[in-house]
Amino acid sequence: MRDLNDLYYFAQVVEHGGFARAARALGVPTSRLSRRIAALEVRLGTRLMHRTTRKLSLTDAGRDVYAHCRTVVAAAEAAEQAAAHRSAEPRGQLRVACPLAIAQYELGPILGAFMRRHPLVRLDLHVTNRRVDLIEEGIDVALRARVPGDEDPNLATRKLRRSMRAVLAAPALLKEVGRIETPDDLQRVPVLDFGTFAESTVWRLSGPNGEMRRITVPARMHADDFVVLKWAALDGLGACLLPPHYCSEELARGRLVHLLPQWSAPAEIVHVVYPSARLLAPAVRAFVDFVAEHLARPVAAPRRR
């Protein structure tokens, strides 16, 4: 029978980002790990990773093998837990990736409830707007907001809800630019754009009866954080596309208003993704079920005290 430990060692090297870190985590010499991975490559007849003094990267074959290694390791852990009558109790390290706005407004306020419900889980939360590679980066589960059709076919997906962004601004801005009645009027309004800097900023808007418009707008500011954009909008610096449920208090008090109530950015799908629907570790399954329970509907931004 093949030595499955080599597959486990390979997965640990990938997930820890190198031989030295994996060796420390496993409590074995780095040289032993290097020999075992080299033997695995010889046995499989292919190179699994490129090694340099500063960086380790997977080959195409290495990524494929790693995906199967995770399945093997998950199956072994599930079998061990079943043998010890512990499989129903989530435990161990859980690596989660989440966009900044969802982490701040929605996931952050409910994480305490998840951790209290599952006290044996150790959470490692990566907050980033970058689209992480779950396999390459060793992430167990990720929350994403993407347009329909942008899902990764290699990942299991559980849809949570639809999300939209409305055109919002402070009333003071309207006094400067006048009434905004059509999307074309936005061409004379400074805007605050979500994302990185671009010389030409184009907003795609969806209107009544499914009408779509592409409007080139003068971006006064770019940021990849909805909180920063909201503060800039409240200060009257420009109009922005923001999820209304992140601005519920400001809208209720009239500090922000809808410029074009019948127009919004095309709806995105908020969903949770994970490497495989089979043999899910109990902690992963518990987290997926938890966010599906709590984030199926938009969560309003917490009120400031």
Side-chain angles (χ1 to χ4, degrees), residues 91-149:
R91 63 178 62 235
Q93 185 180 21
L94 177 67
R95 292 172 290 271
V96 177
C98 183
L100 184 60
I102 295 179
Q104 291 180 334
Y105 283 120
E106 303 187 58
L107 186 61
I110 64 174
L111 277 181
F114 175 78
M115 300 301 288
R116 285 190 294 272
R117 185 181 298 182
H118 305 292
L120 299 181
V121 172
R122 304 187 310 275
L123 182 64
D124 184 8
L125 180 63
H126 301 262
V127 179
T128 176
N129 289 330
R130 177 177 59 84
R131 184 167 182 159
V132 300
D133 185 323
L134 275 68
I135 303 301
E136 185 77 17
E137 301 178 48
I139 300 296
D140 296 306
V141 59
L143 287 162
R144 290 177 176 172
R146 301 294 175 190
V147 296

Side-chain angles (χ1 to χ4, degrees), residues 49-66:
M49 57 181 64
H50 300 294
R51 306 167 178 83
T52 68
T53 56
R54 295 185 177 181
K55 184 178 180 181
L56 181 150
S57 60
L58 293 178
T59 63
D60 289 342
R63 281 188 286 271
D64 291 340
V65 171
Y66 175 63

Side-chain angles (χ1 to χ4, degrees), residues 75-86:
E77 291 175 347
E80 181 179 344
Q81 290 181 353
H85 303 288
R86 302 183 306 178

Side-chain angles (χ1 to χ4, degrees), residues 143 158-162 269-272 291-292 295-297:
L143 287 162
R158 185 164 176 179
K159 294 181 180 179
L160 302 178
R161 68 168 193 274
R162 293 168 63 87
I269 303 297
V270 178
H271 54 268
V272 58
V291 296
L295 302 186
R297 295 181 179 180

Side-chain angles (χ1 to χ4, degrees), residues 10 58 61-73 135 275-276:
F10 173 64
L58 293 178
R63 281 188 286 271
D64 291 340
V65 171
Y66 175 63
H68 291 292
C69 284
R70 285 183 60 86
T71 300
V72 170
V73 172
I135 303 301
S276 175

